[in-house]
Amino acid sequence: MTASTTAATVAPAEEVHHLQHGVVSALRDSWIEATRHLRVIPRNADLLIFATLQPIMFVVLFRYVFGGSITIPGFTYNQYLMPGIFAQTVVFGSAFTGIGIAEDMQKGFIDRLRSLPISQSAVLIGRTVSDTLRNMITFAVMLAVAFAIGFRFDGGLLRGIAATALLLAFAYAFSWIQALIGLSVKSVEAANSAGFIWMFPMTFVSSAFVDTASMPTWLGKVADANPFTLATNAARALYNGRDPGNSVWQALLWAAGITVVFAFLTIRRFTTTATRG
Amino acid sequence: MPIVEAEGLVKRFGQTEALRGLDLQLDRGTVLGVLGPNGAGKTTAVRILTTLLKPDAGRAVIDGVDVVAEPHKVRARIGLTGQYAAVDERLTARENLELVGRFFRLGDARGRSVELLRAFDLAEEADRPVKGFSGGMRRRLDIAMSLVARPRVLFLDEPTTGLDPRSRLGMWDLIESLVAQGTTTLLTTQYLEEADRLADRIVVVDHGHVIAEGTADELKTRIGGERVTITLGPEADVGATVAALAPFRIDGAEPAREGRELTVGVRPGTTTPEVVRQLDRSGVDVHDVTIQRPTLDDVFLALTGHAAEERTQEEAA
């Protein structure tokens, strides 16, 4: 470092930088933060491969290992199972939000962001939005695999797209739960286990893989009350061109409710509590 | 008017009081060294001044803006480099700098990044992911990121902790050149040597409040400065040895003798070769000469009567 170059480089500004305010500026901050994560996706092939292999593994295991012994009235197992796999995969994908936030906290990057004159919520919105965009890539891969083994949009393209969007909205809501977990735990490892552990019972005690009527009565009741069952049923009905009843609206309400409540809790925690240091 | 002014800052974490009425002032264009052991409350103070933490009591104003009332405005005026290099490891050095530039809505975030990459000697690694950077390079990038928007005050929280000795010297050179360009800086450190070299004024912090302040020379005078210890040979004449040391002695410093070791307080900047040459000329029989520079422990011993204690619990929050 030479004195001549630094002279022009670090001298304090005469004018304090113009401050940005308002919703538009906050959205722009969020997008700048989202691109921080998006631009590394192509560089992190390991993560993307893992995030794709896991659902392919589930597709193969359930479809070919258990599929023969599982019969669902009114469905081929393939058409029944795929929406459940999609739902589980995108909801699992939301765990990356918590892990990423915990990582940023542990490495001190959150302090950097919090000391900048930007919208504080942009840090969280940017993260959840970029994770949902990554989830879309995973979803596209899964759809390709599903089509290869015979899954079809029996309800037509539009309903297929609607079902996909609904599951992504549901996963987006869950990324806010994960964000709160990521902010609350003490390490990346803890975010990893705390993020995944409850999602196993939530996604398996549901209609994702089997008919809830085949479960012991008490467990079936739990599964029926599970919002994940609701989201899966709604998506399944749309993909297969069946009547979804009220499930679509109820699932969307759940997604909106979880998003509002957990975004509020997460942003409040983010702006009022000390980060680890 | 000072650009940073804190009065009576108090911060509690549960049962422990990290800050118990901390006051400090930093004048424009100067460097303030906040010196203290681990857990003294240095990091807590920096976190309050940089809006990351709210104080339980007291107030702090930066460039005329209250840190609690208008944190957003404060953030537009400061740069922060914390204890852990806050860089995104997945991105390249250039991308890290451009990110900050975009957040500040700089017209030319790219151009600004190029400028800083050159100035901080990172131009050659500009497009490599930070993951592969050494500790010293990360720290340089971290400071460059803090300077993207040309802040009015730069906060450096223990900038050399965890660096190897060579990187530490490099970091000192870098901070000195920043200061030479007029960057107003608040620096925390556990090393008296570091505060001595970089800071115009030093505040010594212990148990969450300031126990002494002044220039490095003022503090050293208070604690007796540097000492030379001479191991005398069997033939040595103590009186002649003391006389030979007269040019280095601090006025009024009494030589202390313990067995064959003689210790005398000497003026700051006295070097071992000087002393050895002088003793040689006087023909004194000497086995060994060492100079001890005062350490943080000496400062604490002199100021508080106890050694610097670690209180890691407080700062863990």
Side-chain angles (χ1 to χ4, degrees), chain B residues 161-180:
Chain B
T161 297
L163 292 187
D164 59 74
R166 207 173 123 256
S167 307
R168 171 168 297 165
L169 289 176
M171 189 56 62
W172 285 356
D173 286 342
L174 188 147
I175 295 169
E176 272 176 345
S177 68
L178 297 182
V179 170

Side-chain angles (χ1 to χ4, degrees), chain B residues 254-275:
Chain B
E254 284 299 315
R257 192 178 166 185
E258 213 181 297
R260 288 167 57 198
E261 289 196 342
L262 186 71
T263 301
V264 183
V266 294
R267 273 196 278 280
T270 306
T271 64
T272 314
E274 276 180 302
V275 175

